[in-house]
Amino acid sequence: MMKIEFEVNGKPVSVDVDPRLSLADCLRSELGLTGTHLGCEHGVCGACTVIVNGAAVRSCLMLAVQASGDSVVTVEGLSNDEALTPLQASFRKHHALQCGFCTPGMVTTAHALLTHEPDCDEDRVRDVLSGNICRCTGYVPIVEAVLDARAAYGSKGE
Amino acid sequence: MPILAFRLAAPEMLVDLKYVEGLDRIAIDKDGVTLGAKVRWCDIEADERLATAHPLLAEAIRHVAHYQIRNRGTVGGSLAHADPAAEMPGIAVTCDAVLTLAGPTGERQVAAAGFFEGALQTSLAADELITQVHLPAWPAARRWGFREFARRRGDFALAGIAAFYDVDPRGRAVDPHIGVIGASDRPRRLARAEAALSGKVVDSASIAEAAAAASAEVDPPSDIHAPADYRRALVATMVERALAHAAR
Ligand code: FES
Ligand code: FES
C-alpha cells in the first residue's frame, strides 16, 4: 500500500491505496465519489472523465498514485447545494441527458473545455466530445447544451 | 493502462516518470526535432513552431485519440506501446527517426525501423526506457501528406499513410518516403510504392502507380474492424489522398 495526498474538489485528502488502483476506482471506492462513472475501463467511452490540474483526463487510464500532489475535480465538484450551475441548467434545458450514465463525463469534459476555450464553436465542441460515448441522446442536445452554456464561462458571443 | 486493465500484462513493477525532469521538452534546431518521452499530444498541438519545423508530425498528431487522452498521452508511451495503428510510431518509422533508450549500462540509439518488432512488441529491454526520439531536419520546401481512416474521430485508424518527398528543379520527387499504419503488424515504409514515385513528377498517373504498389505490398490482418481486402483497398485510397495533398 502507498499513502498519497492530493486535493479532491478543493479539499485535501490522504488515502492509502494499492499502487495499481486506478484513480477512478480510488475516487469511487475509497472516497465514495460515485459520480465518476466507469463504462469501459480502458479509455474509450469517456464516462470516467475528471479534471486533473485543470485538464480533462480519463480517470480509468491513470493510477491513483499518479495523482499524488495534484488537484482533482470530479463531477461532484462542479455542482453546488443550492441551485443548478449554469452548465447543469443548460443540460436540463436542452434535455442533454436521458439515463445519465455518460453525463458526469460530458459535464466534466464540457467544463474543462469551456474554462479554457469559452469561445469554442460547434465543430470544436463536437471534436472534444467525440471521446465521450452516449447511448441515449444522439449527441445533438448535448452539443446544444454546451454551446448554450458558453456565456456563463465568459464567452464574448459569436 | 489498457494493457493492465485487459490483464494482457502483469509487470512486477511499475515506474511512474512523473517526477523525472527534462523529459518533457520539445527541442528544435538545425538538426531536426527532438521530442522528450514525456511530451504530451497536447504539447505538440500547442507548439506553433512545429507547423514549419515538422508539419507532417503536427498533422499526424492531430489525429491521435481524444481530448482527454491528448492531455495525458505521451510520445514515449506511444512508442513503447507500439500499437500498429498508432500515429507516433508511424511517423517515427516514416521519418527515419532515432530513439534514445536509457538502461542500467547507459544509453543507446536505435533506428525506429528496427525498434518495432511486431504488434505491441519492441526491442526495448525490460530494464530500459525511452528518453527521447529525434526526427531529422525538415527542409522547408518538402512536400508531405498524412491521411488516415477511422470509424470514429480519434479511434485507431483502420489504415493510415504518412508520405513526404523533396522536389528536384525539374519537379520530380526525390527520395520519397511512404509509411503505413494500421495495415500490418507494425508501422513500416512501403519500398515498392516509394520506388513507383521516385524520380517522377507527382501527378495523377504516378500517384495511381504508387497507390497500386502500396496496396499490393501490404498484408493487412482481417479482424472484427475490417477484412483484409477492405484494408488493402483503403491503403490505396489513403496513398492517393496523402500524395494528392502533398502535390497540391
Ligand atoms: S471508463 Fe474510462 S474511458 Fe471508459
Ligand atoms: S444519457 Fe444515457 S448514455 Fe448518455
Side-chain angles (χ1 to χ4, degrees), chain A residues 37-48 58 60:
Chain A
H37 289 173
L38 279 165
C40 66
E41 298 187 72
H42 67 276
V44 177
C45 73
C48 66
R58 299 205 191 298
C60 72

Side-chain angles (χ1 to χ4, degrees), chain B residues 22-189:
Chain B
L23 296 181
D24 51 7
R25 292 228 329 267
I26 301 178
I28 300 174
D29 60 21
K30 62 173 182 11
D31 296 326
V33 175
T34 305
L35 304 171
K38 289 201 316 185
V39 168
R40 300 168 302 166
W41 309 128
C42 60
D43 300 327
I44 292 177
E45 205 172 12
D47 195 320
E48 287 166 8
R49 299 172 301 168
L50 289 171
T52 47
H54 212 295
L56 178 61
L57 171 73
E59 172 63 20
I61 296 311
R62 287 185 45 231
H63 293 264
V64 177
H66 302 109
Y67 187 60
Q68 301 95 336
I69 292 181
R70 304 170 62 79
N71 283 331
R72 270 188 69 77
T74 62
V75 167
S78 173
L79 292 169
H81 184 53
D83 190 290
E87 290 84 357
M88 190 66 227
I91 292 299
V93 168
T94 308
C95 297
D96 302 323
V98 175
L99 283 68
T100 303
L101 315 180
T105 56
E107 289 193 339
R108 64 184 176 114
Q109 322 266 324
V110 295
F115 178 73
F116 300 101
E117 298 183 336
L120 312 184
Q121 303 292 324
T122 69
S123 63
L124 189 68
D127 56 1
E128 285 182 316
L129 64 88
I130 300 170
T131 56
Q132 62 180 40
V133 57
H134 175 78
L135 303 166
W138 186 270
R142 181 168 280 174
R143 315 297 314 179
W144 60 275
F146 180 87
R147 286 292 185 275
E148 68 169 47
F149 182 81
R151 286 242 167 76
R152 176 175 71 141
R153 166 136 185 76
D155 278 358
F156 278 120
L158 294 177
I161 292 288
F164 68 86
Y165 55 86
D166 296 318
V167 183
D168 74 9
R170 294 169 60 187
R172 295 170 307 198
V174 177
D175 195 17
H177 283 52
I178 300 177
V180 67
I181 57 173
S184 58
D185 68 342
R186 73 196 84 169
R188 51 176 284 223
R189 282 175 57 187

Side-chain angles (χ1 to χ4, degrees), chain A residues 20 56 66 68 109 127 132, chain B residues 1 11 18 68 71 152-153:
Chain A
R20 283 159 208 242
Q66 293 180 297
S68 171
T109 303
D127 180 29
N132 294 59
Chain B
M1 284 296 294
K18 179 170 173 176
Q68 301 95 336
N71 283 331
R152 176 175 71 141
R153 166 136 185 76

Side-chain angles (χ1 to χ4, degrees), chain A residues 96-103 106 133-139 142:
Chain A
L97 59 149
Q98 289 178 28
C99 80
F101 193 87
C102 70
T103 311
M106 294 289 180
I133 290 175
C134 174
R135 296 285 80 160
C136 303
T137 63
Y139 303 99
I142 299 176

